[in-house]
Amino acid sequence: MTAAVVAGLLAGYGIAIPVGAVGAYLVAVTARTGWRTGAGAALGVATADGVYALVAVLGGSALVPLLTPVMTPLRWASAVVLVVLALRAAHGALAAFRTGGLASRDDGTALTPARAYLTFLGITILNPMTVIYFAALVLATGPSSPATLPDRVAFVLAAVLASASWQLLLALGGTLLGRTLAGTRGRLVTALASSTLIVVLAVRLVARS
């Protein structure tokens, strides 16, 4: 079981650490709304990673041929959602700047932790590359891959723990960023910069399809 835990931790960090559009959006949302909402969003991402890790150990190799035809549409859907969210955040930042609303932190009423959890779960679940990644890792381990039920559970839980710890670290970074750039102009610049970065990363997401 120890080997399965180690494999799960490595797999979880391997999929979580490369910061893409979702990670950038997580930091931006946390900077705008605060730690509780950011933590909800982080756990949403980790849950999606856990779902795909579970699918992979239960037979991800068999699902790869089924997912391949829909990978491009799902990537486009994910990119469109991210771009819409980024543009909405930029528009809201500009509107709040004109009225002086960015001078104080968002109280979180616009995006609750539960809503952030579901939003980020949905965004992350749209990326089928995650299950292919986990399936490839499971297959690459050959005979030592998690085969028994306890080993599979340990692998999935370790992957979720690794993903959650990294996403929560990103949320912490967003919290510190929000506290540092508490001024009106600083928060406007941060909102616009993060929105631009999210759009660029979303375009890269579909450019690789």
Side-chain angles (χ1 to χ4, degrees):
M1 185 179 292
T2 301
V5 171
V6 173
L9 289 173
L10 293 176
Y13 282 121
I15 195 66
I17 288 178
V19 178
V22 175
Y25 186 51
L26 171 60
V27 173
V29 164
T30 310
R32 188 174 73 249
T33 61
W35 165 250
R36 291 182 65 242
T37 302
L43 294 178
V45 176
T47 300
D49 287 345
V51 169
Y52 276 139
L54 178 62
V55 170
V57 297
L58 292 179
S61 58
L63 291 175
V64 171
L66 300 177
L67 288 172
T68 300
V70 298
M71 279 180 58
T72 298
L74 286 176
R75 279 184 175 179
W76 273 98
S78 178
V80 168
V81 170
L82 285 164
V83 168
V84 169
L85 290 172
L87 294 178
R88 181 180 177 184
H91 179 268
L94 287 169
F97 177 75
R98 295 190 186 101
T99 60
L102 281 178
S104 60
R105 284 180 62 82
D106 190 327
D107 61 5
T109 55
L111 186 64
T112 64
R115 184 176 175 185
Y117 174 87
L118 294 174
T119 297
F120 277 80
L121 173 63
I123 294 172
T124 310
I125 214 78
L126 284 173
N127 185 10
M129 280 300 298
T130 307
V131 71
I132 294 176
Y133 164 83
F134 281 120
L137 287 180
V138 170
L139 291 174
T141 56
S144 60
S145 63
T148 65
L149 180 59
D151 282 350
R152 289 177 175 178
V153 171
F155 176 89
V156 173
L157 291 179
V160 172
L161 177 62
S163 178
S165 64
W166 181 258
Q167 306 305 334
L168 288 171
L169 183 62
L170 290 181
L172 177 61
T175 302
L176 296 176
L177 180 65
R179 290 177 178 173
T180 302
L181 300 175
T184 304
R185 190 174 300 277
R187 298 196 62 190
L188 173 64
V189 171
T190 303
L192 295 179
S194 63
S195 295
T196 301
L197 177 61
I198 293 165
V199 170
V200 170
L201 293 172
V203 170
R204 288 186 60 189
L205 177 67
V206 295
R208 294 198 304 265
S209 58

